[in-house]
Amino acid sequence: MSLFWRLFLLNALVLVVATALLLGPVTVSTPVLLTEVAVLVAGLAAMLIADAVLLRIALAPLQRLTRAMTTTDLLRPGPRPEAGGQREIAELITTFNTMLDRLEAERATSAARALAAQEAERRRIAQELHDEIGQTLTAVLLELKRVADHAPPPVGDDLRQAQETTRASLDEIRRIARRLRPGVLEELGLASALTALTTEISAPGLTVHQHIAGDLPPMGQDTELVLYRVAQESLTNTARHSGARRADLTLHRTATGVELRVRDDGHGLGRTTEGSGMRGMRERALLIGARLTLGPGAHGGTEVCLTVPVGEGRT
């Protein structure tokens, strides 16, 4: 039973007992007159209605606080409930808002550390793939070529087939290393990195189109990395799960910053729950104060939109 109904029924019980006493041993006339009964019942009804209205007004801030508590998501920051009502209720709402501020700050700090560690581990793995496995496969490829050139035709043909398989494996390792550590992002910038990304994403029947504006404002490394990772995750999900035939990546300037939009014509999200990839995109967006929306597109499929404020003091 809610607090409102507990208080209301308690007050109603007191009023009903008082009315019953007036109709019984405490009545002003014996026997009870019908006019007295009518007046007492009307008075009781008026008092109950006034009591209900006053309690509803007094407890309204608690109801707003309850809704805020049940709908708050640290990955989707929203407006705080207004600290209104009586002093105790206002203090409760203020305490709740302070707790949310602290939780969001702690989440942002822990997420930043986790994502920084993730990027460092990606760089380490990419470096090892390039330096260790890549060089080893290159040596194997050269050795196969040397042996195939001096082998008799039947054996030489088999060795050349093995050489092609090794070359394909080497190309795949280099592609994985580039996805783990986008060196082109550091060397040539965001526009070139996104262009390279759209050419690397592949799936049967999928065509990726990119539209990148040439007047993008200066952005820090963290902002560019978040934009790249969100685009990478969105296109990867499109290639793996959407069944789309076309995807469009758009990056353009806005009045307050830049906007990245990735849309496809696939079967959409449906009732799919958000996985670690989508949550990772939201965490990255919050790190740079960006706003991420993910849902159905205007003409079907899925649309991911990342709005990034870029200006003085932004990185």
Side-chain angles (χ1 to χ4, degrees):
M1 186 179 296
S2 66
L3 180 62
F4 166 79
W5 284 111
R6 289 185 180 183
L7 293 176
F8 176 74
L9 291 178
L10 181 62
N11 292 340
L13 177 62
V14 174
L15 295 175
V16 169
V17 170
T19 303
L21 289 175
L22 289 176
L23 292 175
V26 194
T27 184
V28 294
S29 62
T30 303
V32 180
L33 300 177
L34 292 179
T35 55
E36 293 179 346
V37 173
V39 170
L40 290 175
V41 171
L44 175 62
M47 288 186 292
L48 290 177
I49 294 174
D51 186 42
V53 171
L54 292 176
L55 284 176
R56 182 65 68 185
I57 295 174
L59 297 179
L62 284 180
Q63 294 177 341
R64 293 195 298 269
L65 179 60
T66 301
R67 286 194 297 269
M69 287 180 172
T70 56
T71 58
T72 295
D73 186 348
L74 294 181
L75 291 180
R76 299 179 178 87
R80 299 284 191 264
E82 182 181 355
Q86 299 298 322
R87 181 173 61 86
E88 294 82 0
I89 297 178
E91 290 177 354
L92 178 61
I93 297 175
T94 301
T95 302
F96 174 74
N97 291 338
T98 303
M99 181 191 68
L100 277 186
D101 294 337
R102 185 175 67 253
L103 288 176
E104 288 186 357
E106 293 176 354
R107 180 211 52 77
T109 301
S110 60
R113 292 174 180 172
L115 292 175
Q118 184 186 78
E119 290 296 331
E121 185 67 9
R122 287 187 177 198
R123 285 194 295 269
R124 185 188 66 81
I125 295 175
Q127 192 69 29
E128 291 185 358
L129 286 175
H130 182 272
D131 294 344
E132 301 295 335
I133 300 178
Q135 292 182 6
T136 300
L137 286 179
T138 300
V140 171
L141 192 63
L142 294 175
E143 185 66 18
L144 285 173
K145 183 178 184 305
R146 186 186 67 80
V147 175
D149 291 340
H150 297 85
V155 178
D157 293 339
D158 292 338
L159 289 174
R160 291 185 181 88
Q161 182 63 36
Q163 185 179 358
E164 292 301 320
T165 302
T166 304
R167 181 179 289 108
S169 300
L170 180 60
D171 292 340
E172 181 66 16
I173 287 176
R174 288 173 176 170
R175 186 186 66 82
I176 293 174
R178 286 195 302 270
R179 289 175 63 83
L180 288 173
R181 180 176 180 268
V184 66
L185 177 62
E186 301 174 358
E187 298 168 3
L188 301 179
L190 180 62
S192 298
L194 291 178
T195 300
L197 177 64
T198 57
T199 60
E200 292 177 0
I201 295 295
S202 62
L206 175 64
T207 303
V208 181
H209 300 268
Q210 52 91 12
H211 312 276
I212 301 175
D215 60 343
L216 298 177
M219 291 175 283
Q221 293 182 353
D222 292 342
T223 299
E224 289 189 347
L225 182 59
V226 169
L227 285 165
Y228 180 85
R229 290 301 188 196
V230 170
Q232 185 183 50
E233 182 68 26
S234 302
L235 290 177
T236 300
N237 289 338
T238 296
R240 290 179 179 176
H241 309 298
S242 70
R245 301 187 63 84
R246 177 189 174 99
D248 291 274
L249 183 150
T250 305
L251 180 65
H252 64 91
R253 186 169 190 163
T254 64
T256 57
V258 296
E259 181 183 88
L260 171 71
R261 193 178 297 271
V262 181
R263 61 166 64 95
D264 62 58
D265 60 355
H267 50 66
L269 294 174
R271 297 184 178 179
T272 304
T273 57
E274 290 193 1
S276 58
M278 295 181 184
R279 292 185 65 85
M281 287 194 292
R282 294 193 184 280
E283 290 177 351
R284 290 181 184 276
L286 290 176
L287 288 179
I288 60 173
R291 182 171 60 89
L292 178 74
T293 57
L294 190 151
H299 304 288
T302 304
E303 180 174 282
V304 178
C305 180
L306 180 67
T307 305
V308 182
V310 178
E312 185 177 356
R314 297 283 184 178
T315 59

